[in-house]
Amino acid sequence: AVHSNVEIFLAKMNELEKRVVLVTNAHPVSYALKMEVTGLQKYFDNVVNAHDLSIAKEHDGFWQALQSVEPFRSESTLFIDDNEEVLACAEKYGFIHLLSIVKPDSQKDGRQTSYYPMLSDFGDITP
């Protein structure tokens, strides 16, 4: 399921001309199905699949590999993820603005704690 207010958040980022990139570990078939169901692909300027880089987001070297195909500034990029290990790797690389998704799986209960600030509703961060 789509996270609460995520479409409004993404539309606002597009309106503000912020570059919006989806970086995923999802298998390409799984990703394609998710986009078919949610229709969110229209909000992304780019999608980078870790399968194409041959390294998962939680491994050392991923962010350098991403930098080669999607340049970014870690100190001014907002990175949101549902995996604590991925967030820790991003922090180690130099990301400052990190948010953890409270409910990574819509079919399960949300997390109660996280080392990173937790996001349960994208409306909370929509300008």
Side-chain angles (χ1 to χ4, degrees):
V2 175
H3 292 286
S4 182
N5 291 308
V6 74
E7 196 160 359
I8 293 168
F9 171 77
L10 292 170
K12 186 65 173 183
M13 293 301 98
N14 290 167
E15 179 185 315
L16 294 171
E17 298 182 356
K18 300 294 183 184
R19 185 149 179 84
V20 180
V21 178
L22 176 65
V23 180
T24 182
N25 279 344
H27 187 279
V29 173
S30 173
Y31 165 76
L33 178 61
K34 287 179 184 182
M35 289 302 110
E36 183 179 314
V37 170
T38 65
L40 293 177
Q41 68 275 7
K42 64 187 174 196
Y43 296 107
F44 298 108
D45 296 302
N46 193 11
V47 176
V48 179
N49 194 304
H51 289 263
D52 295 332
L53 300 178
S54 300
I55 187 168
K57 293 189 293 186
E58 59 271 24
H59 293 129
D60 288 338
F62 173 81
W63 299 104
Q64 292 88 343
L66 178 63
Q67 192 70 265
S68 70
V69 297
E70 180 62 47
F72 61 90
R73 293 184 12 209
S74 58
E75 68 277 1
S76 62
T77 297
L78 171 61
F79 181 64
I80 304 168
D81 205 278
D82 60 8
N83 181 310
E84 297 272 317
E85 192 176 354
V86 170
L87 288 164
C89 190
E91 182 177 37
K92 182 178 171 184
Y93 186 75
F95 283 83
I96 298 168
H97 310 287
L98 300 164
L99 293 175
S100 177
I101 299 290
V102 169
K103 196 171 180 180
D105 185 333
S106 63
Q107 304 302 313
K108 297 180 182 177
D109 291 337
R111 286 188 272 217
Q112 299 301 310
T113 62
S114 172
Y115 176 79
Y116 301 95
M118 297 174 74
L119 177 65
S120 60
D121 187 319
F122 278 79
D124 293 341
I125 62 169
T126 301

